Amino acid sequence: MIQQKFWKKLFVVCITIAWTISSCKEENKRMPEDYEVASAWADMTNYITKNTPANTPTFASRCFGYIGLTMFESVVNDSAAVYQSVAGQLNGLGNLPVPEKGVAYNWALALNAGQAEILRNIYIQTSDKNKNKIDSLEQSFETVLKNKTPDGEVVKRSILYGKKIAQLIFEWSKTDGGHRGYLSNFDKKLVMPKRPGCWQPPLYAQSFSHYPLHPHWGNNRTFLAVDSAIDAPACIPFDTTPGSAYYNQFKQVYEKRKVLTQEEKEAAIWWSDDPDVTFTPPGHSYYLATIVIRKTKPGLVKCAETYARVGMAVADAFRNCWKWKYQFFTERANTYVTEHMDPEWQSFWPDPPFPAFPSGHAIQAAAAATVLTDLYGENFAFIDSAHVGRTRDDIRNADFKARHFNSFWQVAEETAMSRFYGGIHIPQDNERGLEKGKIIANNINRLHWKK
Amino acid sequence: MRHCLTILLVSIFFFIDKSICQTHFTDVTAPSGIKHVFKVYEGMFGGGACVIDFNKDGYEDVYITGGVNDDVLYKNNGNGTFTNVFEQSGMTVTKNFVTQGVTGADVNHDGFVDLFVTTITRRDKKEVIPRAINLFFLNNGNGTFRDATKEYGLDQLFSFSTSASFGDFNADGWPDLYVGNYFNEYKGKLSVINDNTVVEANQIAKGNLFLNENGKKFKDVYSDYGLDFRGFGWGGIFTDFDNDGDQDLFVNHDFGYKRTPDLLLENHYPRQDFTDVAKEKGMDLKINSMSTAVGDYNNDGLMDYYITNIWFNYFMVNQGPGKPFVNKVKELGMQFFSISWGANFADFDNDGDVDLFVANGDLNPNCVPMANYYFENLGGKFEDHARAIGLADYGIGRGSVVFDYDNDGDLDLLEVNQEPVVTDYPVPSVTKLFRNDSTSGHWIKISLNGIDAESHGIGSKIEVEAGGKKMIREIDGGASSIFSQSSVIAHFGLGNATKIDKITVYWTGGNKQIISNVSTNQLLTITEIPGKKSHFFIYLLIGLAAAAVAGFIYLKKRKTV
């Protein structure tokens, strides 16, 4: 009698366990929405960006360009009636292979294979642990997505297509001047210009390098030929006379430091996006694209278009920005203010290791905001919680608090202003950065994405 | 009226002359035969000296690292000149390495000081990722050394090392070693170099805490002692900040505002671990912390710490048990901006309080000349007299050491300078020896002869009471000035006091020795009277017995209730 009861109980327990396991499995196997596949890969891209040592905003921006473009080109034929490849419109990529006519593809599988392939190749320098993460994301999507496509031939064909697109784009990337750029972050043979107002290696520094970052990045190929032809911004000439336009630029930074509000301090640390501990400033823009995508849940091709536009916009923005930075080679407030206003002055945020004009934060934020506005409209309210949960910044006595925005341009402006609050950019760095970022992004927007 | 004015002016000049120019330093680099400059491999790293009487002739010699240049071992000839005996020293293997810092202790307790030289990479072949072993040389006792790196288990650690310091954290008389590392280290050679290893190379590093195993081997006990920190390490100093008789460790980290701040590792001897109390003690400095000078500037019996930095240095004044340190650099009149590296507390003017020398120098290849500081202790305030007394050298300063090379009772100074990477540096930047020509003030120098403790008393403390003052020194184990180690002979300025009332030696290991009524202006050697080694166990037994009795009584009481 007792024994019977025991077996009964055991039976119930076993059934319960089995059911739990199977339902868990069931849960795992839930077919992901298209936007979920796309944004999961954007998350992975930002994870790799953040967790690969010696990464820089320049190198990262370029990667976002190629990764985003790969995503678009691997799925564009999912909506061939509306969209078209932009490959032929880019700076020397040429047309990419078109899918076979009259046969089926699983485009999410193509995206999955393409993203894994481009990430592994373009971030070849990342750790084996990170490469395993890429592999397992690819594997897990492949497993679920296969269920939707019982035809093994379709699966094979889709994966091959995505991979092929990634490989061709990666081959093209090798010739842009930034390939394996992490091996030459600093050129120790660089002869730096020596004229009044020149950039000086920082003393309150973000990096131990006393050479400026990627001095030749401005010679790299742009994604769009037309972006390379944009005129240089106008820069106020050096002047030490109190009251002069140049002097007043720094005076503003100097005065602002005294009256920084808590909110401004929070903005300054939020947008710092230090490449040593975060996904870099262009990564923040890629992340904003993800916020929009998770909120609006668009179709596969629009998701990919969003990442492609944001990626290429920030890449060309950084390339142009770096060309101008080394053309003008201007100083930071920590140099000018201490020499001409207050020898004890120090910026709120440490100096990055490169010249100031124009601001890289501003130009890439404006570029990203301009493409996102074109795609999703001017008024778009959302919460940015990229850095929520990070340990409080004790040195600057400020917390990482989620930020609310009503438009993308508001983000761009705050990103730019945050560098002014940080004391590492003067107003003209930000203003010219925002202007030029907009022009670059408009060129991206003008590509013939649709038929 | 006019007459009065003249008198006033004359007396002012006289006064100024007397107050400012009591101490004067003479640059004797050339006449002393010292010809040295540290040449960087790349960037800002390196340049130190170690004061060592390697041949025990009573005249202190000095070993100086050369970076890409050869190191030198300057034998003190006793007549004010030095001879470089490096080629015959048995240490020429250092020529294969880019040396950085140097520090010494009697590791095997044979009475002769052995040397530890830190390196960052090899000179004889190009390493894609700059790393190399550090080098350890045993003193043969006959004026030469032999390479004992492998014998002491140090030949498999490929590191990018900065400053090293000897101390005795387990108080067993065998000097232990802390080595600061700037970039991450490799155990064994890197077999594969690819894009990943290259980008991983410039990450923050662990320090090495080497326990000296009976003078025969070093064992890295960093994690065994509960440490798991990584930072851009410039090294650390062993010092007893809390006066509990054991040696704690203060670690300097570069870029503390971005990465790991400075650490104050409290030693829990006899328990075998350290805990970081930097935060609660206000010592978790988030700065470009380079090195630490140790000294009790106000003679209150508590060690104070001057930490060099980029921009403004920090003077962390000890407030006693339970209270955090307070940065008094501004309050004490030392708020000047510069890029500082080495620093030394010493009573240069023999007036009974410690003054402070600070070696300044730009971040080569940046080459803006900047003068050193000489902060004269005016009691409650410091004043920079570097220019007036002849120490305002504009070379690219790094490590600095103090010692009495001419045995005249005042402390001289040697500063290691780097060769400028630029060709248009406006002044010579070479290693300098400055002779102290001060004439006033009594003094005493005390040389320790450790029996249980390290043979020169490294890590021990000496307290001198004279003229109503109580002054204290810790025997320097290295890294007290970046990459460098000053004399192990303690020097005390005594002012007008003609007699020392009392000298107390607190040996590492716990022995305490008192000597009374000592005359001034002499070099005194104090030999340790070995203690009974079983002290600790006796106390432990007594403690256990007491606990047993108490427990017994308690239990009995409980029963009766």
Side-chain angles (χ1 to χ4, degrees), chain A residues 180 182 188 205 274 276, chain B residues 42 195-196 257-258 286 311:
Chain A
R180 297 170 85 206
Y182 45 81
K188 288 167 185 168
D274 178 351
D276 281 335
Chain B
E42 66 178 33
D195 287 17
N196 178 240
Y257 50 84
K258 274 200 70 175
K286 297 171 175 98
W311 220 240

Side-chain angles (χ1 to χ4, degrees), chain A residues 53 124-127 180 182-183 188 201 203 205-208 210-211 274 276 338 343-345 394-395, chain B residues 42 183 195-196 198-200 202-203 255 257-259 279 286 310-312 330 337 339 363 365-366:
Chain A
I124 186 95
Q125 81 277 25
T126 203
S127 64
R180 297 170 85 206
Y182 45 81
L183 297 179
K188 288 167 185 168
L203 295 180
Q206 289 183 28
S207 154
F208 50 77
H210 302 293
Y211 291 95
D274 178 351
D276 281 335
T338 53
E344 291 194 13
W345 193 82
D394 279 336
I395 303 172
Chain B
E42 66 178 33
F183 297 126
D195 287 17
N196 178 240
V198 173
V199 297
E200 300 264 2
N202 286 1
Q203 302 302 304
F255 293 98
Y257 50 84
K258 274 200 70 175
R259 290 305 176 98
K279 202 173 171 128
K286 297 171 175 98
I310 293 177
W311 220 240
F312 297 110
K330 198 163 189 171
F337 49 89
I339 300 172
L363 302 161
N366 281 10

Side-chain angles (χ1 to χ4, degrees), chain A residues 94-311:
Chain A
N95 289 329
L96 292 169
V98 288
E100 286 174 53
K101 287 229 160 63
V103 292
Y105 283 82
N106 179 329
W107 294 109
L109 264 177
L111 182 151
N112 186 51
Q115 289 295 284
E117 186 72 7
I118 188 77
L119 255 175
R120 272 191 297 257
N121 277 303
I122 213 155
Y123 273 108
I124 186 95
Q125 81 277 25
T126 203
S127 64
D128 289 344
K129 206 176 125 206
N130 285 351
K131 282 175 191 151
N132 287 337
K133 272 189 179 289
I134 297 171
D135 294 349
S136 52
L137 183 64
E138 179 187 24
Q139 208 50 57
S140 74
F141 272 138
E142 204 177 298
T143 312
V144 227
L145 292 169
K146 268 179 184 171
N147 291 344
K148 197 176 161 187
T149 314
D151 185 344
E153 281 306 308
V154 175
V155 171
K156 216 169 124 189
R157 189 186 301 132
S158 308
I159 291 172
L160 271 179
Y161 186 76
K163 274 205 170 132
K164 183 76 193 162
I165 294 293
Q167 284 157 2
L168 289 169
I169 288 175
F170 177 62
E171 277 308 310
W172 180 54
S173 80
K174 285 181 178 174
T175 55
D176 75 347
H179 176 54
R180 297 170 85 206
Y182 45 81
L183 297 179
S184 53
N185 284 349
F186 303 102
D187 176 2
K188 288 167 185 168
K189 291 195 177 78
L190 183 75
V191 180
M192 292 187 248
K194 277 183 182 170
R195 46 173 196 261
C198 262
W199 179 78
Q200 301 288 330
L203 295 180
Y204 183 41
Q206 289 183 28
S207 154
F208 50 77
S209 170
H210 302 293
Y211 291 95
L213 175 70
H214 281 142
H216 313 299
W217 198 261
N219 302 331
N220 287 1
R221 184 178 63 212
T222 45
F223 279 84
L224 272 59
V226 59
D227 280 341
S228 191
I230 296 171
D231 286 338
C235 184
I236 301 169
F238 175 78
D239 199 334
T240 58
T241 323
S244 65
Y246 192 81
Y247 185 95
N248 284 345
Q249 289 280 313
F250 290 96
K251 187 80 177 164
Q252 289 176 61
V253 174
Y254 176 66
E255 294 299 333
K256 186 74 206 173
R257 177 82 172 86
K258 297 181 193 165
V259 293
L260 276 183
T261 64
Q262 194 59 25
E263 287 71 40
E264 288 163 345
K265 288 178 183 174
E266 284 162 7
I269 63 164
W270 187 264
W271 294 106
S272 59
D273 291 324
D274 178 351
D276 281 335
V277 287
T278 75
F279 47 33
T280 78
H284 208 142
S285 292
Y286 214 65
Y287 167 83
L288 293 180
T290 302
I291 295 181
V292 180
I293 284 167
R294 293 221 164 104
K295 221 175 156 187
T296 55
K297 304 177 183 171
L300 192 60
V301 184
K302 187 166 181 186
C303 288
E305 183 195 9
T306 308
Y307 288 120
R309 283 209 211 185
V310 169

Side-chain angles (χ1 to χ4, degrees), chain B residues 129-432:
Chain B
I129 296 171
R131 295 293 184 280
I133 56 169
N134 295 313
L135 302 165
F136 175 61
F137 299 100
L138 272 182
N139 192 329
N140 293 324
N142 60 1
T144 65
F145 292 77
R146 67 181 173 86
D147 184 358
T149 309
K150 193 171 179 188
E151 189 181 327
Y152 278 71
L154 299 169
D155 63 328
Q156 285 307 310
L157 192 73
F158 295 82
S159 56
F160 193 105
S161 298
T162 47
S163 302
S165 47
F166 281 107
D168 187 5
F169 56 81
N170 63 347
D172 63 353
W174 302 106
D176 312 303
L177 182 62
Y178 179 80
V179 184
N181 297 312
Y182 202 87
F183 297 126
N184 54 346
E185 64 290 326
Y186 301 102
K187 294 235 161 62
K189 281 232 143 188
L190 266 178
S191 50
V192 183
I193 298 204
N194 55 30
D195 287 17
N196 178 240
T197 51
V198 173
V199 297
E200 300 264 2
N202 286 1
Q203 302 302 304
I204 49 180
K206 280 182 186 173
N208 303 119
L209 188 68
F210 287 116
L211 185 82
N212 182 340
E213 295 184 314
N214 302 317
K216 292 193 174 67
K217 220 176 177 65
F218 285 110
K219 184 188 171 199
D220 195 345
V221 294
Y222 194 73
S223 54
D224 298 350
Y225 270 66
L227 302 176
D228 190 29
F229 300 96
R230 284 184 176 273
F232 290 116
W234 283 120
I237 44 152
F238 285 104
T239 177
D240 185 9
F241 80 92
D242 51 2
N243 283 350
D244 65 350
D246 58 33
Q247 284 200 282
D248 311 297
L249 180 61
F250 181 72
V251 176
N252 301 92
H253 278 148
D254 209 350
F255 293 98
Y257 50 84
K258 274 200 70 175
R259 290 305 176 98
T260 315
D262 287 349
L263 310 171
L264 181 59
L265 303 173
E266 185 180 347
N267 190 349
H268 294 293
Y269 175 82
R271 217 173 78 196
Q272 295 180 352
D273 67 13
F274 286 96
T275 49
D276 182 23
V277 295
K279 202 173 171 128
E280 63 200 79
K281 295 299 286 180
M283 293 291 276
D284 56 336
L285 305 183
K286 297 171 175 98
I287 60 176
N288 295 99
S289 184
M290 308 289 198
S291 77
T292 312
V294 188
D296 175 13
Y297 91 99
N298 51 1
N299 291 333
D300 66 352
L302 302 164
M303 302 317 289
D304 308 307
Y305 302 97
Y306 183 86
I307 293 113
T308 53
N309 184 27
I310 293 177
W311 220 240
F312 297 110
N313 298 327
Y314 280 61
F315 189 19
M316 305 307 291
V317 176
N318 201 329
Q319 307 294 306
K323 291 180 195 147
F325 284 77
V326 176
N327 180 16
K328 292 200 172 177
V329 78
K330 198 163 189 171
E331 186 184 326
L332 293 172
M334 299 193 280
Q335 178 91 336
F336 301 107
F337 49 89
S338 187
I339 300 172
S340 301
W341 298 86
N344 312 80
F345 277 111
D347 189 356
F348 290 106
D349 53 359
N350 287 345
D351 66 348
D353 55 34
V354 288
D355 313 297
L356 179 68
F357 172 79
V358 183
N360 294 327
D362 206 344
L363 302 161
N364 215 358
N366 281 10
C367 290
V368 177
M370 41 190 85
N372 299 323
Y373 301 140
Y374 171 82
F375 290 115
E376 172 127 8
N377 189 339
L378 302 174
K381 199 103 188 153
F382 285 86
E383 237 173 58
D384 181 20
H385 293 172
R387 190 175 296 274
I389 66 158
L391 285 176
D393 184 73
Y394 279 86
I396 301 175
R398 285 300 183 268
S400 52
V401 290
V402 290
F403 63 128
D404 182 10
Y405 83 94
D406 51 0
N407 285 347
D408 66 348
D410 53 35
L411 287 172
D412 312 297
L413 213 144
L414 182 128
E415 181 194 9
V416 183
N417 279 323
Q418 289 183 347
E419 183 178 289
V421 169
V422 297
T423 49
D424 56 351
Y425 201 74
V427 294
S429 176
V430 295
T431 296
K432 290 278 177 81

